[in-house]
Amino acid sequence: MSKTLFEKIIAREIPAALIYEDEHVAAFRDINPQAPIHVLIVPRKPIPRVAQAGPEDQAVLGQLLLKAAAVAEKLGLKDSGYRLVINNGPDAGEAVPHLHCHILGGRKLQWPPG
Ligand code: AMP
């Protein structure tokens, strides 16, 4: 099976501004930032989207959120706040079929989202 875009980033086959990685996840700056701080955190396991996650992925999903909070803190967003976004499917605008969580911060974010 061919690698996803984010697997290629994790494998250093495509350049990216990696800011964190461990045995479960990797985090790198979004190439088209929608906020002063816009980072993607992705599990190493290429689960296509949250709707395709199964019970066997419980630990991976937990790591994704726990590490998202840790990365947000590392980026200085703990006190100001930040938004975590997971797009699932066409109506949400999902473009890369490798589960990822957007970490957005550094400005006041609007609600509801567009
Ligand atoms: P989504 O729409 O939730 O699937 O988000 C995909 C995100 O990946 C978008 O915000 C893109 O800007 C971002 N993206 C696409 N290609 C790259 C890349 N090579 N490096 C970093 N971010 C990327």
Side-chain angles (χ1 to χ4, degrees):
M1 220 163 68
S2 63
K3 284 183 186 169
T4 68
L5 172 65
F6 294 161
E7 284 180 286
K8 289 177 184 169
I9 286 175
I10 291 169
R12 270 61 169 188
E13 292 168 15
I14 291 177
L18 274 153
I19 58 168
Y20 177 81
E21 63 183 328
D22 62 23
E23 67 270 40
H24 303 292
V25 301
F28 49 90
R29 304 231 178 233
D30 195 293
I31 204 167
N32 183 23
Q34 301 301 311
I37 294 175
H38 187 173
V39 164
L40 301 176
I41 182 162
V42 312
R44 287 183 182 276
K45 181 177 177 184
I47 301 163
R49 60 194 57 79
V50 75
Q52 258 76 51
E56 70 280 10
D57 296 317
Q58 184 171 340
V60 175
L61 297 181
Q63 284 293 335
L64 189 65
L65 283 185
L66 288 169
K67 295 297 168 56
V71 168
E73 181 168 357
K74 178 177 148 80
L75 291 166
L77 296 173
K78 187 179 180 186
D79 294 333
S80 55
Y82 53 90
R83 184 169 294 161
L84 302 181
V85 174
I86 297 177
N87 293 320
N88 188 104
D91 276 1
E94 177 205 306
V96 180
H98 180 149
L99 177 62
H100 51 283
C101 178
H102 298 253
I103 303 171
L104 295 148
R107 67 169 169 83
K108 186 87 178 162
L109 298 166
Q110 301 301 307
W111 191 264

